[in-house]
Amino acid sequence: MSLLSPNVQDIFELLADPLQAVKCSLLAVAPPHSQDLADTVRQSLSSGGKYLRPTITLLMGSATCNDRREPHSHALIEAAAVTEMIHVATLLHDDVIDQSDLRRGQKTARAVWGNKMAVLGGDYLLAQASVKLAKLGNTRLVSIFAWVLSDLCNGEVEQMQASYPPPNALWESESQWESYFRKTFCKTASLFSAGCESAGVLNSLTEAEIQGLKAYGRHLGIAFQIMDDLLDYTATEEELGKPVLGDVRNGLINAPILLALESDHLTPASRLALRKAMQTLFKGPDVKAAEEIQTLLLDCNALEETRQLARRQIQSALDSINFIPDSPERSALQALAHYVLERRQ
Ligand code: IPE
Ligand code: IPE
Ligand code: MG
Ligand code: MG
C-alpha cells in the first residue's frame, strides 16, 4: 500500500496497529475449497489496494470514541475489514462488467482466472463479509451493509442503462445529472458512508451525530468517484494501475462529458466532433479519437469544472465533521478529504 502525499503517510503511521489487525482479519477468511477460487480471493485481497475504506472507518471510530484506552475495538476492526471485503468484491465484479484486464498494475482476476471465477470470488467475499457481520451480533450493522449491497447493484445497473448511445435528446437534460449523482452515490459513496455510520453506531453516538458521520462518507465517496471519473481522462495507466479512457470506451457518460456537452465554450461543431470521437472510441481503440476528446474537454474547461464539482463535495464532507472534537484522528479525516482531490493513483 503506498499513498504518496506525506500527510496521508502520517495517517498510516497513526493507524499502523489497527490496519495490521484489519489485514490479519482479511487473511483469516475461511479458505474456499477450490485452489483457483482461493487464489482469486487471496490475490484480490493482497494486491496493494489503498485501504481507503477501512482507514476512514477506523479514523471515524477513534475520532468519536469516548474510551481513549481502547479506540479500536474488535468490532470496529471487523467493520473496517468488512468495508474492504465488500470493496474488493465489487472490484472483482466491476472488472467483469467493464471487461477490464488491468487493476493495481497487475492482471485482473478475470484476465487470469476468467470471468466466472472472478464473479464467484466476489460472491465468496460478500458471503464471508456477511459471516463476519453475523458474528458481531449487531443487527443494525448487518442492515447497514446489506443496504450497501443493494445500492451497489442499483448503481451498476443505472450506470449500464445510462451508457452510450442514449437518444440525443437525453444528453442535455437535467435528469442526466440526477442519474449521475444517484449512481455515483450507489456504486461508490454508499460503502464509504456505511463505514462511517457503523463507527458511529459502535460508539453509541446520537442519531444526529451518526447522520453527520454518514454525510462525511457520502460527500467524500461522491468526490472520490468524481475524481476517478476525471482521472480516467487526465492520468496515465502507470499512475492509476488501471486502464485510462476506459469509461468512454465503455460508453459511460460521466461528469467530464456531461459538463462538456452543456458547456457554452463548445461550438456546435466541436460538440458534434466530441460525439463523433466518442462514437469512434466506443467501437475500439483509436489514439486520434482519444486525443481529440481530451483536447475538447480541456478546451471547454470541463476538466477543471469536474474538479470544482468534487471540491464542493469535499467542502461538504469537511463541514459535516466540524462537530467532532479536535484530535489527531479528526485532522487525519480532514487530510484524507484533501487527498481525494490530489490523488493520482
Ligand atoms: C477503485 O477504488 C474503485 C472506485 C470506487 C473508483 P480504489 O481506488 O479505492 O481501489 P484500491 O483498493 O485502492 O485499488
Ligand atoms: C467504481 O467504478 C467501481 C465500483 C465501485 C464497483 P469504476 O468502474 O469507475 O472503477 P474503476 O475505475 O474500474 O476502478
Ligand atoms: Mg471499472
Ligand atoms: Mg473508474
Side-chain angles (χ1 to χ4, degrees):
M1 172 193 9
S2 64
L3 283 166
L4 297 181
S5 146
N7 286 343
V8 177
Q9 284 299 356
D10 289 347
I11 297 173
F12 284 111
E13 273 160 41
L14 190 71
L15 291 180
D17 291 343
L19 273 175
Q20 191 52 41
V22 168
K23 279 186 207 169
C24 289
S25 169
L26 295 176
L27 292 176
V29 161
H33 299 175
S34 139
Q35 190 57 49
D36 275 357
L37 195 57
D39 289 345
T40 306
V41 167
R42 188 181 30 77
Q43 200 276 346
S44 58
L45 282 174
S46 55
S47 56
K50 294 184 287 295
Y51 277 72
L52 208 49
R53 294 144 191 87
T55 299
I56 287 168
T57 306
L58 292 170
L59 285 173
M60 218 32 124
S62 43
T64 61
C65 178
N66 283 327
D67 184 357
R68 297 308 301 168
R69 284 161 308 161
E70 205 206 356
H72 307 112
S73 64
H74 170 72
L76 182 67
I77 300 283
E78 290 297 271
V82 163
T83 65
E84 188 65 10
M85 289 167 81
I86 294 177
H87 165 59
V88 168
T90 68
L91 294 184
L92 284 166
H93 289 173
D94 182 67
D95 288 332
V96 172
I97 294 170
D98 292 349
Q99 304 181 56
S100 185
D101 289 339
L102 193 71
R103 164 93 44 206
R104 299 170 175 168
Q106 297 164 50
K107 279 188 168 183
T108 53
R110 80 170 209 110
V112 179
W113 291 282
N115 281 344
K116 289 179 187 174
M117 202 55 81
V119 169
L120 291 166
D123 291 350
Y124 191 87
L125 278 171
L126 295 180
Q128 287 298 315
S130 308
V131 171
K132 257 190 200 316
L133 283 171
K135 281 187 185 155
L136 290 181
N138 183 323
T139 50
R140 178 149 176 196
L141 254 61
V142 174
S143 166
I144 288 170
F145 286 105
W147 276 110
V148 170
L149 302 188
S150 308
D151 285 340
L152 279 160
C153 297
N154 284 327
E156 285 285 352
V157 171
E158 177 141 25
Q159 168 161 290
M160 248 153 54
Q161 289 177 342
S163 66
Y164 182 86
N168 277 354
L170 261 184
W171 284 33
E172 273 91 6
S173 91
E174 286 283 313
S175 66
Q176 289 283 82
W177 279 111
E178 259 174 53
S179 169
Y180 176 74
F181 276 104
R182 193 167 48 232
K183 72 129 175 167
T184 301
F185 168 75
C186 284
K187 76 173 196 166
T188 303
S190 173
L191 180 56
F192 281 85
S193 181
C196 295
E197 182 178 4
S198 32
V201 169
L202 290 171
N203 283 337
S204 305
L205 301 192
T206 65
E207 206 46 48
E209 288 168 333
I210 292 174
Q211 293 307 317
L213 308 198
K214 277 177 76 174
Y216 171 91
R218 182 173 70 248
H219 291 300
L220 186 114
I222 291 175
F224 183 81
Q225 185 61 52
I226 293 174
M227 288 307 295
D228 189 75
D229 296 345
L230 177 65
L231 288 166
D232 201 47
Y233 295 97
T234 58
T236 64
E237 187 171 293
E238 288 68 37
E239 285 172 319
L240 285 179
K242 61 188 183 186
V244 291
L245 293 170
D247 293 342
V248 71
R249 257 201 304 263
N250 281 319
L252 304 186
I253 298 157
N254 288 333
I257 299 282
L258 280 173
L259 285 162
L261 289 171
E262 67 183 31
S263 166
D264 292 338
H265 303 297
L266 217 58
T267 62
S270 317
R271 199 162 292 147
L272 196 65
L274 176 61
R275 288 185 185 182
K276 279 207 170 126
M278 286 172 70
Q279 258 163 28
T280 307
L281 212 57
F282 185 55
K283 286 185 203 134
D286 186 306
V287 178
K288 232 176 112 230
E291 279 172 2
E292 189 166 14
I293 292 175
Q294 279 164 319
T295 308
L296 284 165
L297 292 183
L298 202 64
D299 286 354
C300 72
N301 213 29
L303 300 177
E304 185 47 37
E305 283 180 24
T306 304
R307 197 181 301 281
Q308 299 292 353
L309 205 61
R311 191 168 290 140
R312 285 199 288 277
Q313 292 290 329
I314 288 301
Q315 191 50 54
S316 302
L318 291 169
D319 293 346
S320 313
I321 54 167
N322 271 340
F323 76 92
I324 299 176
D326 194 12
S327 67
E329 287 84 3
R330 194 188 72 165
S331 302
L333 286 165
Q334 291 163 335
L336 265 183
H338 292 294
Y339 157 76
V340 163
L341 295 174
E342 289 157 19
R343 77 181 176 106
R344 298 285 302 169
Q345 62 174 141

